[in-house]
Amino acid sequence: MTVFWRCLVIAVCTAPTAVAAQSGTDDALQPLEAIIAVATEANRARALEQGYEGVQVNARPLDSRLRLPLCDQPLKALDSRSSTALGSISTGVRCSGSKPWTLYVRTEVTAVRVVPVLARSLPRHTRLAAADLRFVERPLASVPTGILFDADQIIGMELNRSLDEGSTIRTSHLRQPKVVKRGDLVTVTSGSGGLTVKSQGKALADATPGERVSVVNSVTGVKVEGIAGTDGTVTVP
């Protein structure tokens, strides 16, 4: 057989194989497990970034009848629309390849976090100290609205309601303590140009730090208005 005919035979025999390989590439489907993996990892990373520990992500199975073309680019998770990293979250997974598509995966994200709770039951008006708190790990299916995780935001504040032992603390449970109370004898500081004058007076109202309060001078009977300080003194501007 001449060289020409030998080459022709080889070309004819191999052509169907090449066509079949090309057809197989075009019909390749995206594994659904890969889509779920991208959504799962994105939610786990987001929860970890927000300080949660023991993060678990459970994804709802995708419909096995889905037929998405195999993405020729790395899959990417879209930014979550949820304001929280925990709970039921829908995460978009996008293919930006030559045959683009976007699919949303439903996930349930849970975690544990160290939370300050009351070490004992306390009545309303209690001014909280470090000894009033203990720290526990709590499973969190979702973040309770307004819950405080930072003890520095709690210590020194006053309870506006009674709470039981083990209660988590929310911003709505707290208020600034009253450093001046109506009828208290307080020190009034005034002056300018480096000259400071101190006097005694009776507070005419309650006040928290930074609030304005009226005081009647104990000697002259003159009423002045000043700003309550954290130490209970009143400064007249």
Side-chain angles (χ1 to χ4, degrees):
M1 181 181 294
T2 65
V3 174
F4 171 78
W5 289 108
R6 184 180 297 116
C7 292
L8 182 59
V9 170
I10 292 173
V12 171
C13 291
T14 57
T17 303
V19 172
Q22 180 64 41
S23 176
T25 301
D26 291 342
D27 295 340
L29 299 178
Q30 180 68 51
L32 300 184
E33 295 79 3
I35 301 173
I36 291 176
V38 170
T40 298
E41 184 53 36
N43 282 291
R44 179 179 289 107
R46 186 162 177 259
L48 291 173
E49 286 175 1
Q50 293 191 16
Y52 297 104
E53 300 175 355
V55 177
Q56 294 185 350
V57 183
N58 294 314
R60 184 180 298 175
L62 297 174
D63 191 335
S64 59
R65 295 170 294 178
L66 280 172
R67 294 293 184 267
L68 297 172
L70 182 65
C71 192
D72 52 14
Q73 296 291 329
L75 299 179
K76 293 184 179 180
L78 303 180
D79 291 337
S80 176
R81 300 173 183 174
S82 175
S83 59
T84 176
L86 302 183
S88 182
I89 298 175
S90 180
T91 302
V93 178
R94 174 171 294 169
C95 167
S96 300
S98 57
K99 296 182 178 181
W101 48 261
T102 300
L103 185 69
Y104 282 83
V105 180
R106 296 292 298 179
T107 59
E108 190 71 29
V109 186
T110 59
V112 297
R113 187 166 181 176
V114 175
V115 181
V117 299
L118 288 185
R120 57 185 178 277
S121 297
L122 291 174
R124 183 183 179 188
H125 301 312
T126 299
R127 191 167 182 175
L128 296 170
D132 296 321
L133 304 177
R134 60 187 175 89
F135 296 86
V136 298
E137 277 194 350
R138 287 279 177 88
L140 301 172
S142 60
V143 181
T145 303
I147 192 171
L148 295 173
F149 297 99
D150 186 352
D152 291 339
Q153 295 179 294
I154 299 172
I155 295 171
M157 299 292 282
E158 183 179 292
L159 289 176
N160 59 20
R161 55 169 292 183
S162 298
L163 290 177
D164 294 331
E165 178 182 350
S167 296
T168 55
I169 302 167
R170 307 184 185 207
T171 51
S172 59
H173 295 157
L174 303 176
R175 66 186 174 196
Q176 287 281 354
K178 301 291 186 183
V179 292
V180 174
K181 295 184 178 181
R182 181 184 177 90
D184 282 352
L185 287 177
V186 298
T187 299
V188 179
T189 303
S190 60
S192 61
L195 178 63
T196 300
V197 178
K198 293 185 177 182
S199 59
Q200 295 293 312
K202 180 183 289 186
L204 299 180
D206 296 347
T208 61
E211 278 190 324
R212 301 187 74 87
V213 61
S214 295
V215 178
V216 173
N217 188 288
S218 300
V219 177
T220 65
V222 174
K223 184 171 74 172
V224 297
E225 187 177 74
I227 298 174
T230 55
D231 58 355
T233 62
V234 175
T235 302
V236 178

